Amino acid sequence: MKLYSTNNPNLTVDFKEAVFNSMPQDKGLYMPVSIPAPDADFIGNIEKFSLTEIAFKVAGDLLQGAIPERDLNAIIEDAINFPAPVLRLNSNTYVLELFHGPSLAFKDFGARFMSRVMSYFMEEGEKMLNVLVATSGDTGGAVALGFLGVPNTQVTILYPKGKVSPIQELQLTTNGQNIRAIEVDGTFDDCQALVKQAFTDKELNEKFRLTSANSINIARLIPQTFYYFNAYAQLKREGKTDVVFSVPSGNFGNIGAGLLAWKMGLPVKQFIAATNVNDTVPSFFKSGQYEPKPSVATLSNAMDVGDPSNWVRIMNLFKDDLQEVKKVVTALSYTDEQTREAVPEVFQNYNYVVCPHTAIAWRAIADYREESGDYNSTAVFLSTAHPCKFPDIYEGNIADNIEIPGQVKALEGKSKQTVEIKADFNEFRKFLIG
Ligand SMILES: *Cc1c(COP(=O)(O)O)cnc(C)c1O
């Protein structure tokens, strides 16, 4: 598999290099040189395949031998060891549940696959891989649990003290083994700044093999295509083939993977990019001007992104032509007030509890239908996290209806292990050097 930089199509690297470096020197993003179309036979018979069988096929086509088939299949079997079911809510509305992995968020697909690919590519006698990651909540949990026990890797997670939910904090801080958590007396931006500075520090880079498990890593994007194919397979079994996906979007990695699947030939009618008030992309659709802005804090905090890093990839898929993007993507944004209203509405309609991110994706379907007049397609909204991770927004009856999954019960009684630091690079540096 060859990949090029979105800033320079002539700069190409192989898959292994793209995995370890995340980003090309020229600050573009890696994109596959060729996007293979799986044989028509596969799409035509997709309903006959399981999630892992679909993943073998799609990953095999994309990687084009970068990892031998047997090894790739073993990685997938180990990484994608939880389901991604599609549930029927009414005759033309379905939900795709992506929260059955260890951290209860869709980021498990990307983090588990990437960690295993990195471990696979590390050769004997190579220096241990040191993963540094800043998190506002969900990324850290997925990365921590994704790398937990993966040989020859050590993960250091920085999170803002007092600013992640109790379950998120336990997921970050109770792992032990090769996972360490640092509680930073500051904001998420401070955490991110510390990590960024570490990557530019000469001595740290000499001493350690640093990498960033970043959401722009191509090895996080690839496994997210699997569940789009698999959702389509499940719907086809129910006789539904006119499909619209509504995706709660922040950094636009999830929807980017959906669009990659579409480019590979998955027959999706439309994608809805549903954002909170961090509406850089919906505004771009309206004005034609891409204007990144500082992020604003919302209830759906995993989508508080003012300059979505994967947007470049999506434009690149459409040769930077916004009119072409608009044929396949609808972009809509919602306020916290609308999010708060959507949660009980979903509950009253279907006796189903959604997390605040998922609520936005559901809400966008009604507007898409009204704007486009397309009431017949089957609309599927992606449920990106389990509601128990965001307990503050639920009241009475709804709170009582949230089932506590086994992954959370397993955290009970475990005690938090962290090191606390100020938002100060020297302190962070000292900790790393040890
Ligand atoms: C990360 C995250 C999102 C946003 O996904 P992107 O790929 O960044 O667009 C949405 N919902 C939840 C729960 C998340 O953790």
Side-chain angles (χ1 to χ4, degrees), residues 85-153:
V86 168
L87 263 59
R88 181 185 189 276
L89 297 180
N90 71 23
S91 63
N92 63 354
T93 311
Y94 286 67
V95 56
L96 167 55
E97 292 187 339
L98 299 174
F99 55 69
H100 294 283
S103 84
L104 305 168
F106 84 96
K107 291 185 173 74
D108 286 327
F109 285 89
R112 286 178 69 80
F113 183 79
M114 176 182 64
S115 60
R116 281 150 185 80
V117 167
M118 284 183 169
S119 166
Y120 172 81
F121 277 134
M122 279 194 300
E123 279 148 37
E124 215 165 317
E126 270 188 35
K127 209 169 174 177
M128 180 166 76
L129 192 64
N130 248 285
V131 181
L132 301 183
V133 51
T135 186
S136 58
D138 268 355
T139 301
V143 171
L145 293 160
F147 276 96
L148 182 64
V150 172
N152 214 17
T153 64

Side-chain angles (χ1 to χ4, degrees), residues 389-412:
K389 294 183 92 173
F390 309 94
D392 293 350
I393 72 153
Y394 305 102
E395 284 163 11
N397 196 13
I398 300 181
D400 298 341
N401 269 279
I402 300 176
E403 267 179 55
I404 302 301
Q407 293 94 319
V408 171
K409 290 186 190 135
L411 294 170
E412 270 166 31

Side-chain angles (χ1 to χ4, degrees), residues 104-107 137-139 168 215 220 224 247-256 300-303 305 310 355 357-358 383-386 389-390:
L104 305 168
F106 84 96
K107 291 185 173 74
D138 268 355
T139 301
Q168 286 174 329
S215 81
R220 277 181 66 169
Q224 292 176 8
V247 188
S249 296
N251 248 327
F252 282 68
N254 197 355
I255 195 170
S300 46
N301 61 6
M303 309 190 332
V305 182
N310 279 292
C355 90
H357 312 79
T358 308
S383 179
T384 44
H386 194 287
K389 294 183 92 173
F390 309 94

Side-chain angles (χ1 to χ4, degrees), residues 242-261:
D242 269 340
V243 179
V244 173
F245 283 111
S246 183
V247 188
S249 296
N251 248 327
F252 282 68
N254 197 355
I255 195 170
L259 289 162
L260 182 58

Side-chain angles (χ1 to χ4, degrees), residues 346-361:
V346 172
F347 186 68
Q348 274 146 28
N349 287 350
Y350 323 109
N351 196 30
Y352 188 80
V353 185
V354 286
C355 90
H357 312 79
T358 308
I360 287 176

Side-chain angles (χ1 to χ4, degrees), residues 12-325:
T12 63
V13 298
D14 61 19
F15 181 58
K16 180 175 172 179
E17 184 174 339
V19 170
F20 282 120
N21 290 342
S22 274
M23 195 186 248
Q25 295 288 335
D26 66 10
K27 304 261 157 63
L29 292 183
Y30 286 121
M31 287 295 280
V33 168
S34 70
I35 296 178
D39 36 287
D41 216 37
F42 168 69
I43 301 279
N45 291 295
I46 197 163
E47 71 280 6
K48 300 192 180 116
F49 298 105
S50 68
L51 172 58
T52 29
E53 286 165 344
I54 287 172
F56 292 168
K57 174 74 182 148
V58 172
D61 284 345
L62 275 169
L63 264 61
Q64 296 170 358
I67 299 178
E69 192 177 296
R70 256 188 57 203
D71 297 331
L72 180 59
N73 290 1
I75 288 171
I76 288 170
E77 234 156 51
D78 188 38
I80 316 295
N81 62 349
F82 52 92
V86 168
L87 263 59
R88 181 185 189 276
L89 297 180
N90 71 23
S91 63
N92 63 354
T93 311
Y94 286 67
V95 56
L96 167 55
E97 292 187 339
L98 299 174
F99 55 69
H100 294 283
S103 84
L104 305 168
F106 84 96
K107 291 185 173 74
D108 286 327
F109 285 89
R112 286 178 69 80
F113 183 79
M114 176 182 64
S115 60
R116 281 150 185 80
V117 167
M118 284 183 169
S119 166
Y120 172 81
F121 277 134
M122 279 194 300
E123 279 148 37
E124 215 165 317
E126 270 188 35
K127 209 169 174 177
M128 180 166 76
L129 192 64
N130 248 285
V131 181
L132 301 183
V133 51
T135 186
S136 58
D138 268 355
T139 301
V143 171
L145 293 160
F147 276 96
L148 182 64
V150 172
N152 214 17
T153 64
Q154 180 170 51
V155 178
T156 308
I157 301 163
L158 289 83
Y159 72 96
K161 182 179 155 80
K163 295 192 177 72
V164 302
S165 84
I167 289 175
Q168 286 174 329
E169 185 166 42
L170 287 173
Q171 287 176 338
L172 299 174
T173 61
T174 60
N175 295 295
Q177 297 187 55
N178 57 334
I179 313 294
R180 316 183 285 190
I182 301 183
E183 212 172 341
V184 177
D185 195 1
T187 62
F188 167 63
D189 290 336
D190 294 327
C191 298
Q192 203 155 30
L194 292 175
V195 168
K196 279 200 176 146
Q197 202 173 340
F199 284 113
T200 60
D201 186 276
K202 194 162 168 272
E203 195 190 336
L204 287 178
N205 279 285
E206 276 164 11
K207 201 166 158 64
F208 302 112
R209 182 176 178 189
L210 299 177
T211 190
S212 81
N214 200 298
S215 81
I216 56 169
N217 196 298
I218 192 72
R220 277 181 66 169
L221 201 70
I222 289 170
Q224 292 176 8
T225 60
F226 306 160
Y227 50 72
Y228 286 95
F229 284 94
N230 184 241
Y232 185 85
Q234 292 175 71
L235 291 162
K236 202 172 166 209
R237 273 172 224 146
E238 302 208 8
K240 307 277 187 186
T241 50
D242 269 340
V243 179
V244 173
F245 283 111
S246 183
V247 188
S249 296
N251 248 327
F252 282 68
N254 197 355
I255 195 170
L259 289 162
L260 182 58
W262 170 81
K263 251 311 201 237
M264 290 178 76
L266 185 70
V268 179
K269 192 160 172 189
Q270 190 79 13
F271 288 89
I272 305 169
T275 74
N276 58 30
V277 292
N278 294 285
D279 64 348
T280 301
V281 170
S283 297
F284 175 47
F285 275 47
K286 283 198 200 99
S287 70
Q289 302 288 76
Y290 185 86
E291 286 170 319
K293 30 195 164 182
S295 67
V296 179
T298 73
L299 292 174
S300 46
N301 61 6
M303 309 190 332
D304 295 348
V305 182
D307 186 7
S309 43
N310 279 292
W311 184 251
V312 171
R313 275 202 168 111
I314 294 175
M315 289 308 287
N316 191 266
L317 274 179
F318 292 89
K319 304 199 163 54
D320 291 317
D321 185 343
L322 180 60
Q323 295 317 315
E324 289 300 309
V325 181

